[in-house]
Amino acid sequence: MKHLSKRSFRLMIIDYILFFLSYIVAMFIRFQLDFVEMRKYISPIFFFPLIMVIVFYYSGIYKYIWRFATLNELRPVFNSGFIGFLINFFVFEFVRRYISDIFTLPFSVAATASVVGVVFVSASRIYWFSRYSRNYKKQVDGIKNVLIIGAGDAGTELLGEYERHPEEGSVVGFLDDDPEKIGRNIRGYPVLGKINQVMDFVEKYNVEEVLIAIPSASSDQIKKIIDYVDTTKVRLKTLPGILEILDNKLSLGFLREVDISDLLGRKEVSVDLKEIKDYIKGKKILVTGAGGSIGSEICRQVLPMGPKALFLLGKGENSIFEISNELRDKFSDAFIGEIIADVSDENRMRYLFSKYRFDVVFHAAAHKHVPLMQKNPTEAFRVNTIGTYTVAKLSGEYNVERFVFISTDKAIKPTSIMGASKRLGEIIVKTLSNFHQTKYGIVRFGNVLGSRGSVIPIFKEQIQKGGPVTVTHPNMKRYFMTIPEAVSLVLQCGQFAQKAEIFVLEMGEPVNIDRLARDLIRLSGYIPDQDIKIVYTGIRPGEKLYEEIFLEDEDYEKTRNRRIFISKSNNNEINKEKLNELIGRINIMIKNNDYNSAIEIIKDYIPDSNISNISEGALITTTIKQGGKKL
């Protein structure tokens, strides 16, 4: 019994006394007031509790910190009580038969004493726990009051965390829409009413924080709850989605401010991790654009699947340095290679493919900002089109097993240079798939929440500065998906890929950007158009009012994943001669900065596009004035 603490030793003494008393109770139950008969079986009274305590010790009962206990910790007490009963009975029966009949323990006395003893011990532990809980409640005076929405498992666990950490706040009760729960108590805390009454109870109990403890809640459910809460009067926090806390013990550390991703990104995502792991494990994986929003998340999700090596390729050294450090902190034993390179540099890329012989390539490198690419069209074609051609072609030449190209919804009926350059990338990958054994795949989806330079970080920055928040058009709509959600589906598409199928991700309903801005303002504790103004700036060159995921004239085939479809359109394929001609024309256009030629290329290869010209106004023609003179 090494390293036995004083508190554990005291518990052992208490348990010994309780089992001693239980033996006396059992004797009275068995023999009533027949003291003559009792004296025949009194000799085991000192050894019975000793054996029970020894069994409890080796069962680990005294390692528990009972002030933090739950009903789960009482189960081993009952199990140990049963084991102790068996050991006691057989030990004393052996002694009676082969040593001396002085130590005789009747079966009924042993069984009764064990049951009564376990009840006594359990009651002592419950008393210990309840006394500690009452002491906690006494300590919370003056601490902020907290109201929990959701009287389920997560809400109960959250309550337990507040009981263990009273300095964080005092729970006044729960709200829940289940009529069976309203009016009842959870550990002495009432389920006060329905969720739509939240502000009534906030005022009644002077609540400072409202906590949404429903990890399984959908985006629509979260929106509904937020509509009931006046964020100008009370702070609103939430637990993240169920996938983020799966297999982790819930704690106060999971609580965070309600984010826009809770309103837009809590969709059901199901992927076959075994299928994905089958083509990742033990393979050399290349991720281009690894420092970007999508590329870095691909790295985060791929690395736990056990690749032989993960190569992070990017043009910006800082972003590659950051994601590399992040991954090495989490996976210190993994092989991670950092590569600084331009995907459109064929000589550099050929050297890398010949040296490392990649097995799987995720091509996420791209210029993605529509207004910037309108001003720099040759860069859009150089990276998004020629870069894709280079990486896809080399993947085929060096027998890469799988190649996955990250495309965009802006490639559908493109109205921007960025969209057109990505659409040409799709055409190139589709064509190359006919000449190589590599399994090519193209994944097309819309905006991802929180990506660098996207609308949400911009809105947040504008709100922090006190406004105004700039929205291009009150009717503009966009599809949104969280980055982890999008990437998990991308990885599933990699397993489905065969002959450059265009995989289209189902992204739910499009989101009104004006409503999005107003929700963000409310979540930040302000009132739209009063505290923070909203200004409409007009649609920028190359932008659409509504994005499209599916073309009207395209047929779509379902996959095993209900969130992934395959486009059956054949308008993304050309022959080898046409491909060589396309690449030649683009290279000449880039070399000569010939914007008229760019328009001709788009017309010839993307007949459904809506780009008639690249006007001088779209290019960088800013006039700098100083002292009234042009420089």
Side-chain angles (χ1 to χ4, degrees), residues 344-562:
S344 65
D345 184 344
E346 184 170 347
N347 289 333
R348 170 70 169 150
M349 295 303 297
R350 185 175 293 279
Y351 165 75
L352 296 171
F353 272 82
S354 64
K355 179 178 181 180
Y356 296 114
R357 301 285 173 170
F358 309 113
D359 296 308
V360 180
V361 174
F362 292 98
H363 180 49
H367 287 320
K368 64 179 183 179
H369 296 292
V370 171
L372 286 179
M373 291 306 100
Q374 289 297 111
K375 298 176 182 177
N376 301 274
T378 54
E379 280 301 295
F381 288 109
R382 186 183 65 80
V383 174
N384 296 354
T385 308
I386 298 300
T388 299
Y389 169 72
T390 301
V391 179
K393 182 182 72 168
L394 292 173
S395 294
E397 292 179 4
Y398 286 91
N399 298 313
V400 167
E401 294 176 14
R402 296 177 189 271
F403 173 92
V404 180
F405 171 46
I406 310 299
S407 188
T408 173
D409 56 358
K410 294 173 178 61
I412 301 173
K413 296 181 180 177
T415 59
S416 66
I417 295 298
M418 193 283 279
S421 65
K422 295 291 276 187
R423 176 69 171 275
L424 291 174
E426 291 184 358
I427 293 171
I428 289 166
V429 173
K430 188 74 174 177
T431 303
L432 287 172
S433 70
N434 295 319
F435 311 121
H436 300 288
Q437 296 300 312
T438 297
K439 294 178 179 179
Y440 290 90
I442 301 165
V443 186
R444 185 192 286 168
F445 56 88
N447 303 280
V448 289
L449 292 169
S451 62
R452 288 184 299 181
S454 63
V455 66
I456 291 173
I458 292 173
F459 283 168
K460 286 182 177 179
E461 184 178 350
Q462 290 174 337
I463 292 169
Q464 288 175 355
K465 293 179 179 178
V469 171
T470 56
V471 176
T472 52
H473 193 283
N475 295 327
M476 180 167 282
K477 293 184 178 182
R478 289 291 182 269
Y479 291 95
F480 284 98
M481 182 180 285
T482 64
I483 295 174
E485 178 187 14
V487 167
S488 66
L489 294 173
V490 165
L491 297 182
Q492 183 75 81
C493 293
Q495 197 278 328
F496 292 162
Q498 294 294 327
K499 296 293 291 182
E501 298 89 349
I502 296 179
F503 296 100
V504 182
L505 305 187
E506 191 278 312
M507 301 188 67
E509 295 297 319
V511 176
N512 180 278
I513 302 300
D514 183 51
R515 170 67 189 269
L516 177 75
R518 293 176 185 277
D519 284 340
L520 265 175
I521 292 170
R522 276 192 290 268
L523 288 177
S524 301
Y526 300 105
I527 300 175
D529 293 323
Q530 293 185 28
D531 302 325
I532 302 289
K533 297 293 184 182
I534 294 178
V535 175
Y536 300 107
T537 59
I539 297 177
R540 296 171 295 185
E543 279 191 325
K544 298 178 180 179
L545 199 58
Y546 307 101
E547 295 288 7
E548 299 166 280
I549 297 291
F550 299 96
L551 281 173
E552 292 179 1
D553 58 349
E554 282 186 322
D555 294 324
Y556 292 91
E557 175 185 324
K558 293 181 179 180
T559 67
R560 295 192 301 275
N561 190 307
R562 65 183 185 86

Side-chain angles (χ1 to χ4, degrees), residues 99-351:
I99 299 177
S100 171
D101 61 359
I102 296 176
F103 295 98
T104 300
L105 178 64
F107 181 89
S108 59
V109 173
T112 305
S114 298
V115 172
V116 173
V118 166
V119 171
F120 283 174
V121 170
S122 299
S124 71
R125 300 304 194 269
I126 292 171
Y127 171 75
W128 192 308
F129 172 76
S130 61
R131 188 183 68 171
Y132 190 79
S133 297
R134 286 197 301 271
N135 289 340
Y136 260 165
K137 291 180 183 180
K138 291 176 184 177
Q139 296 171 18
V140 296
D141 293 339
I143 304 299
K144 66 183 176 185
N145 288 336
V146 173
L147 182 63
I148 299 177
I149 292 179
D153 292 338
T156 304
E157 284 191 55
L158 204 57
L159 169 63
E161 286 296 296
Y162 273 101
E163 288 182 330
R164 287 186 278 274
H165 303 280
E167 70 280 0
E168 297 294 333
S170 174
V171 176
V172 300
F174 296 86
L175 296 180
D176 201 289
D177 284 338
D178 184 351
E180 295 295 322
K181 296 178 180 178
I182 296 173
R184 302 174 70 181
N185 291 330
I186 298 176
R187 295 186 187 174
Y189 296 83
V191 182
L192 299 166
K194 291 188 175 183
I195 297 173
N196 61 7
Q197 299 173 287
V198 57
M199 292 310 298
D200 294 336
F201 292 110
V202 164
E203 294 178 7
K204 181 177 180 179
Y205 293 101
N206 195 27
V207 170
E208 295 178 49
E209 280 189 0
V210 173
L211 312 177
I212 303 175
I214 315 175
S216 59
S218 67
S219 298
D220 289 339
Q221 289 173 307
I222 296 293
K223 285 180 187 176
K224 189 175 180 181
I225 293 171
I226 291 174
D227 286 340
Y228 296 138
V229 179
D230 186 347
T231 55
T232 64
K233 295 181 179 179
V234 65
R235 292 185 68 187
L236 183 63
K237 289 188 175 182
T238 185
L239 290 174
I242 192 67
L243 291 177
E244 297 180 54
I245 59 175
L246 201 62
D247 297 329
N248 289 289
K249 185 181 183 303
L250 192 150
S251 70
L252 297 182
F254 280 108
L255 283 171
R256 56 169 170 75
E257 302 290 336
V258 177
D259 191 76
I260 199 67
S261 61
D262 296 307
L263 304 185
L264 305 180
R266 288 196 178 188
K267 305 181 185 74
E268 182 183 350
V269 178
S270 177
V271 295
D272 192 326
L273 294 176
K274 184 181 181 301
E275 286 185 345
I276 297 170
K277 194 171 184 178
D278 284 344
Y279 80 86
I280 295 292
K281 188 174 182 179
K283 302 297 177 65
K284 289 182 283 187
I285 313 295
L286 170 67
V287 180
T288 70
S293 303
I294 297 296
S296 61
E297 183 62 25
I298 291 175
C299 297
R300 293 185 190 100
Q301 293 194 25
V302 161
L303 206 50
M305 297 184 184
K308 182 177 181 180
L310 176 63
F311 295 91
L312 319 176
L313 187 149
K315 191 175 180 181
E317 60 178 286
N318 290 334
S319 59
I320 295 298
F321 176 79
E322 289 172 4
I323 185 61
S324 176
N325 280 354
E326 177 189 330
L327 295 174
R328 289 181 190 280
D329 285 343
K330 295 179 181 177
F331 305 94
S332 56
D333 296 332
F335 180 89
I336 300 173
E338 301 94 343
I339 300 173
I340 305 301
D342 186 334
V343 291
S344 65
D345 184 344
E346 184 170 347
N347 289 333
R348 170 70 169 150
M349 295 303 297
R350 185 175 293 279
Y351 165 75

